[in-house]
Each structure stands twice: as structure tokens, then as C-alpha cells.
Amino acid sequence: MDATQLLKGVLDVAVLAVVEEEDGYGYDVVRRLRAAGLEDVGDASVYGTLRRLYSAGALTSYVVPSEEGPHRKYYGINAQGRAMLELQRKVWSEFSTTMNALLGTTTGEAA
Amino acid sequence: MTTSTVTPEIVTFAKGVRAALADLPPEEVDDLTEGLEADLAESLAEDLRRTLPDPVAYAAELRLAAGLPGRVPERGMLTGLIDTWRGARTGVAEAIARNPALDSVSEFAASLRPLWWIVRAWLATWLLAAFFGMEDGYWFEAAWWVVFLAFAVVSVQGGRGTWRLPGVKGVVIAGNVLALVALLPVLAAARSWGGQSDDYNLGYADGSSSESSGDRKGLSLDGQPIENIYPYDAAGNKLTGVQLFDVDGKPLLPNRNVDETQVQQTPATLETGAQAYNVYPLTVMRMTYDDLGDLVPDPNPDPDKAAAYANGPFLKVPAVQGPPAPAAEVVATPNE
């Protein structure tokens, strides 16, 4: 199965979870997602997702000036983002339970 | 926070990404790409084996993830037309699939595709041959058959989808549309071409049967116009005022194309007052063009020719032996 296809559906909740843990700028979020095991995540996908969550009002953003090199744009989660994350945690939990049950019972018959 | 060097490659890449997003509002582009250079520099510094991706693909991924619409194509109108065409085709295909009758018609039409492949090859050859004036009715002159064969091979191979090159499909569609548009006029032209000789023969028949015949009509011998007839009687003497008719009573008229023969005939007058050109021999006058280009009587006629025009080719011909012959028999054999 192509994990990148699955990733598209859960990238929102993954990004929210990472940012909830600690504010981060674009590549920082990418790095933490990869460190968490989502190694195939594309940086453009993450940047776009951050931007979309911000537009949707789930994230706050602020720019941190840098002495050397360009400024960094940090994203942090807000109340709406937390609510969204909670909801999606539940959805994922139920979904994964369903899928585990389904795949668990049919594994033997497949093949 | 890591600080990394922003290399020129990264700057170029970021420019490419922003260019691919240029159809979005500037603030949106800024929001999407703010910190892009720094992020990339960091990413490259961490993963030394990493290479920069295609900026356009990268921009597309950014867009998609950000939930923004895909790039509005720059070739606005043409792409719009193509999209409309594709949409219409899909719509038609769906409608056909829903209707069994239409479906079988469409299947039948699809089975005729090879015929179309040949037709378009013929069309291309005909147009090309016509350009050089070497078409022959619906067909072409000799060497063009080779061209037609070549076109047919190309057309059929293309139709069978032997060549799948990018861009070819568009050219083929445009070509087919053009061929369909051109087909009717070409068929009409080919038809009228083919009709030419028929029309000419028809006119020729008209001319030989009509008193009011104009130029280019009248009697001919082996394709050469006959401007006068010199009859001799059974004794071999010249006749005058001989009226000639065919079996239907149509007057046998001389060829009166004065421009070609440069001979002008004077008709005889019948007792009814009508003027008749089928009274032989006709009085003829040798004509020529003067300095102004007008047709005038030849001022310096060739004496021998003039005498022949006036008196006929022979003063006397050999007499016919025996009783007067039936009309169909040859009256005389011209000799010395």
C-alpha cells in the first residue's frame, strides 16, 4: 500500500499534533514529522498544510527575525486548532479501530 | 535554530516556485513562500544528498496542500476550447453509452474508421495533386498514386495508433477537422472536373444539331474543325448549293470558330429568307488580325489557298462508275 496516499488524509492532524507539542517553523515541523516516523512527508506538503490550517484559523503565526539569514515564520496552535485536533484524534481513533478490526479478521482470508 | 547558507541555487529555485504561483494574489504567494529559502537551506544542510526538486511540481504540491486551486493555464482560450471539446466528448460518450440504439450506431461508425483513414489519404493526395494541377477527376495522374499509397500507409498507421508521440494527437484532431471541412468542396470540385469532358461532348452535340450554334461548334474531322464542304456530283463535277442534313433532319453545320480557323463563312439565304450555314460549299473568306488585333479579311492571301477556298480543292474528281450510288457510298477519292 502506498503510505503517501494515506498520509494525505492524516497530514492535517499530524501537523496539528506536532505544533501542539511546540511552536515551529516550516522545516522544523517537517523535521519533527520525519523524526516521528513519517519519513516520506514532502516539505511542500507540510508548508501548504501549515498555510491552510492558518487560513482556517487553527494556527497562529509570528515571524522571528534572524540576525543572519532570512526571517523564520513560526506557527503555534490556538484554541480552535486544539478543538480541531481533539475531534480528529477521535475520528482517527475510531477509524483505526475499525480498520484494525477489519484487517485483523480478514488477514487470514486475503492472500 | 540552525542557520544555513542560502545558495544561489536555492534563490533560483524559490524564484521558480514563486513564478509558478504567480497567478495567486501576492499576499498569498508571500504567505506560502515566506521562509522558503531558509527552510530549504536548512533541509539541504541536513541532508547533503538531497537535490532540489522541480520548482513547478513543488509549487503544485504547495498549492494542493494549502487547499488552493490549481494553476490557471496560461494558454487561456485554446485550453478552454480543448477542455470544452473534451467535456462535450465525454458528455456525448455518456449519452451514447446510456442509449443502446445510439451505442450500436456508434459502434457501426467506429467500424468505418478504416474507411475514413483511406478517405483522408485520398483527400490529402488530391489536394496536393490539384495544387500542381495533376488531379484527374476523382483521381490523379500517374506518379500521384505512389503519393496516395504513402499517405494511406501514414494515415492507417496513425489511425491504428501505431505512433504515440506527444502532441501528435492534437495535430491529428486538427487535421481531421480540416479534412472534414475540406471534403465536400473537394468532392464537388472533383465531380465538376470529371464532368468537364461530358459537358464538352454535350455542348458539341448541341452545336452540331443547332442552327444557332456559336463558336467551337459544328462539324469536325478527326478532331479538326471543318469550315467548309466541297461536294462533287456522280460525274465528278463541282456542285453548289448542296444542303446537307443528318437522319433527323438536323442541318450539318460547319465549324464556325473563326478565331481558330481564321476563316469567315457567309451563309446562304434560303427562299424562306432564313440564313443557312449548311449550304455547301459556303463562301469563305480568309481572315487575319490587323495591327490593332481586329479580325479583318486577309489583304495578302496565299493565292493557292485563296483559289482553293473559292473553287474547292479539285476542279474535277473521278466520276462514279455504274448507276447512281446510294447516299452512303463514297462519292469520290481525292487524288491528282
Side-chain angles (χ1 to χ4, degrees), chain B residues 241-276:
Chain B
V242 175
Q243 302 187 45
L244 296 183
F245 297 89
D246 71 358
V247 72
D248 296 322
K250 293 174 188 164
L252 297 184
L253 297 171
N255 192 287
R256 292 176 54 203
N257 184 357
V258 291
D259 278 355
E260 260 178 35
T261 64
Q262 299 199 359
V263 165
Q264 203 168 65
Q265 298 106 332
T266 310
T269 306
L270 305 179
E271 60 178 349
T272 59
Q275 302 218 305

Side-chain angles (χ1 to χ4, degrees), chain A residues 8 11-12 25-28 31 34 41-49 51-52 54-55 63-75, chain B residues 1-4 6 27-28 30-32 34-40 42-44 46-47 50 53 57-59 61-68:
Chain A
K8 277 181 191 161
L11 193 54
D12 279 23
Y25 58 91
Y27 185 68
D28 181 45
R31 186 195 292 132
R34 285 179 181 162
V41 76
D43 42 358
S45 296
V46 174
Y47 304 150
T49 301
R51 170 66 195 154
R52 183 162 40 78
Y54 172 78
S55 302
V63 171
V64 174
S66 161
E67 283 136 37
E68 33 184 327
H71 297 175
R72 294 280 188 201
K73 189 177 192 174
Y74 276 74
Y75 289 96
Chain B
M1 178 171 93
T2 326
T3 47
S4 315
V6 175
E27 318 85 67
E28 194 72 62
D30 285 348
D31 282 340
L32 266 178
E34 199 170 12
L36 181 61
E37 287 91 340
D39 283 336
L40 284 167
E42 206 172 320
S43 162
L44 288 176
E46 267 190 23
D47 183 356
R50 190 182 167 181
Y58 191 91
E61 195 182 335
L62 261 179
R63 245 177 224 276
L64 190 70
L68 293 166

